[in-house]
Amino acid sequence: DPDHMAQRMQEAVADLFALHWPYKQPTAGRGLRRSALHDNWARLGAVFGLTAGWERGLWYARTSQERALPYCVGAQPWWPVARREAAAMEGGAVLLDLTPFTKLRLEGPGACAALNTVTTAQMDVAPGRAIYTQVLNARGGIEMDVTITRLEQDTYLLTSGAATRMRDLTFLRRHMPDDVRVTDVTEDDCVIGVMGQGSRHVMRTLCPDFAEMPFGGVAEARLAGTVCRLTRVSFVGELGWEVSVPSMCAQTVFDALHAAGAQPMGHYALDGCRIEKGFRHWGHDIGPEITPLEAGLGFTIDWNKEFNGKDVLLLQKSQGVQQRLVLLQIDGEPLMLHDEPIYENGRFVGLTTSGARGPRTDLTLAFGLVNTDRTETLDTTCARRFTVRVAGRDYGATPRRRPPFDPTAERMRA
């Protein structure tokens, strides 16, 4: 119906030019991209928002009042729900909708060597390993922040953020040789995060052939009668698995996980958990203009191999960096988003890159990119004292040497 389409376009344009409050969700262009588990999430109370066009549960309402929470400036009304959802991981397990993450399959005899030229980590590992790494440009900047799994000798699966799907696909197709085929398989599988200190119990209950695997391990197992790929990783800093299941079988697996006691957790709680664990977010905290050394991600670098941008990183390693990403603990409870100015003794020294309130620590946190002297160590930077300006008011901002939640990663690697 041309008239209906024209009306939808007018609504979308009007929505685009409307006043954008923090966390505002569009009302036009909704329901265009749904996972095979959309109805399952909806039945558990999902209040949906958009992630790169995907409908995804922001929080899970238990009452009609929680479903109709208003948008506002300042303390967010969904905050108590997010805190309640994250608290379930203390002794139990939660379910996370990770299906929108970009999933790209790389196949061919040159896959290992080609990936090694663009990534910081070593790709020549045994099949069944998942590796966290950055994909760099010639300037040492971070083009992609990814997890790469070696499925077979000449087959890899790259997982990145939902918003960068076409960008990442284009980048890889431009940089991979002719003998490496890059295929977008994002919508082939649903991915369910099973996270929390009770997640191992849930997995053992449903997987008769479940076997222990180390952090970063990948294995196939039969869950609720369906063969799934289990990956031992966690973006929330808790013990957990990502369960990849063919979309046509996903509902059965989802229902079994929920019946085993795992409860849903929304995207807002997830984002708060990732920042209190000190995990960076591509597009906000890191990107093409910042290097792994500036971002505090030097642990991903294998200095024994050649890769794009290595010469720049070697120079930074020897001479020091002139900017550094640090995690800041903010006094009070200002609404931290991004691009709030950072000051030191009244002098502007940088901008925040992302912010949130930690649902498990109850701390207000933000990443900030601050100017540094080349001779300045991380300890020296963390000894500095900053303020951030939010809505015309200055708040104290203390750099943290380590994240406030599980700084030694004992829970995640248990």
Side-chain angles (χ1 to χ4, degrees):
D1 184 350
D3 291 338
H4 178 68
M5 290 298 297
Q7 182 181 356
R8 293 285 297 274
M9 288 295 294
Q10 290 174 355
E11 291 173 351
V13 171
D15 201 54
L16 181 64
F17 283 93
L19 186 61
H20 285 206
W21 300 101
Y23 297 103
K24 178 183 181 293
Q25 288 292 321
T27 56
R30 300 300 299 268
L32 300 178
R33 182 172 287 168
R34 299 180 175 184
S35 81
L37 291 174
H38 179 86
D39 292 344
N40 298 69
W41 296 112
R43 283 194 293 271
L44 297 185
V47 177
F48 289 103
L50 289 184
T51 299
W54 290 85
E55 296 288 340
R56 190 176 189 184
L58 302 178
W59 71 86
Y60 288 82
R62 292 181 178 175
T63 65
S64 58
Q65 289 81 7
E66 288 183 351
R67 176 169 292 281
L69 295 175
Y71 292 106
C72 68
V73 175
Q76 295 298 301
W78 45 258
W79 163 250
V81 181
R83 184 165 53 183
R84 179 183 72 208
E85 292 172 354
M89 293 189 290
E90 177 63 30
V94 300
L95 301 177
L96 295 167
D97 183 7
L98 305 180
T99 298
F101 281 2
T102 297
K103 297 175 278 291
L104 306 175
R105 189 179 180 94
L106 296 94
E107 301 172 273
C112 180
L115 280 172
N116 259 333
T117 64
V118 296
T119 59
T120 55
Q122 177 57 249
M123 294 293 104
D124 193 6
V125 297
R129 282 281 310 281
I131 309 107
Y132 172 59
T133 187
Q134 280 74 51
V135 173
L136 303 187
N137 56 39
R139 304 181 306 277
I142 301 172
E143 293 287 345
M144 300 163 64
D145 180 65
V146 298
T147 298
I148 299 179
T149 301
R150 193 173 199 176
L151 300 175
E152 300 173 7
Q153 188 66 21
D154 296 327
T155 305
Y156 291 81
L157 181 70
L158 180 147
T159 303
S160 62
T164 58
R165 181 176 177 179
M166 295 308 299
R167 184 187 189 280
D168 294 347
L169 179 62
T170 301
F171 181 92
L172 288 173
R173 285 178 171 170
R174 287 176 177 172
H175 288 80
M176 292 295 104
D178 293 339
D179 64 348
V180 177
R181 183 171 66 256
V182 183
T183 308
D184 185 346
V185 295
T186 299
E187 296 178 49
D188 289 0
D189 293 343
C190 285
V191 182
I192 308 166
V194 185
M195 306 289 166
Q197 294 307 295
S199 59
R200 180 176 280 117
H201 172 73
V202 170
M203 300 300 289
R204 282 174 173 164
T205 300
L206 298 179
C207 297
D209 52 349
F210 177 78
E212 293 295 327
M213 63 179 72
F215 187 78
V218 182
E220 286 191 347
R222 187 171 294 276
L223 193 156
T226 301
V227 176
C228 304
R229 184 174 64 251
L230 310 181
T231 305
R232 178 86 188 276
V233 294
S234 173
F235 196 52
V236 295
E238 296 275 6
L239 171 69
W241 283 262
E242 292 183 1
V243 179
S244 299
V245 53
S247 295
M248 65 182 66
C249 308
Q251 293 190 9
T252 299
V253 173
F254 180 94
D255 290 341
L257 289 167
H258 182 242
Q263 300 299 313
M265 188 172 95
H267 188 66
Y268 285 158
L270 183 154
D271 189 55
C273 287
R274 71 92 192 169
I275 201 168
E276 66 186 355
K277 191 63 181 71
F279 291 153
R280 283 76 168 155
H281 188 282
W282 194 95
H284 285 98
D285 308 312
I286 53 179
E289 303 303 321
I290 183 172
T291 72
L293 294 180
E294 295 168 337
L297 297 172
F299 64 89
T300 68
I301 301 172
D302 181 353
W303 296 101
N304 296 316
K305 69 165 193 171
E306 298 302 317
F307 56 88
N308 287 355
K310 183 180 179 180
D311 55 338
V312 176
L313 300 189
L314 286 171
L315 192 63
Q316 286 187 338
K317 188 179 180 182
S318 63
Q319 296 184 355
V321 298
Q322 292 182 289
Q323 60 178 0
R324 177 171 283 128
L325 188 72
V326 291
L327 183 62
L328 302 171
Q329 182 175 322
I330 313 300
D331 295 343
E333 298 178 2
L335 181 60
M336 301 301 302
L337 297 171
H338 52 78
D339 294 307
E340 293 92 1
I342 303 171
Y343 296 91
E344 182 180 25
N345 299 322
R347 180 173 59 93
F348 173 78
V349 294
L351 293 170
T352 63
T353 55
S354 71
R357 191 172 170 185
R360 296 166 296 190
T361 61
D362 203 25
L363 297 175
T364 302
L365 303 164
F367 275 110
L369 189 61
V370 299
N371 300 330
T372 60
D373 293 327
R374 288 190 183 277
T375 58
E376 188 174 312
T377 66
L378 176 58
D379 287 336
T380 304
T381 302
C382 290
R384 296 163 63 182
R385 291 296 175 264
F386 305 103
T387 60
V388 295
R389 187 163 296 170
V390 182
R393 180 180 172 184
D394 290 339
Y395 297 84
T398 304
R400 295 197 61 111
R401 184 66 171 79
R402 296 200 294 179
F405 182 81
D406 191 27
T408 60
E410 292 178 7
R411 294 173 68 90
M412 187 170 67
R413 298 176 179 273

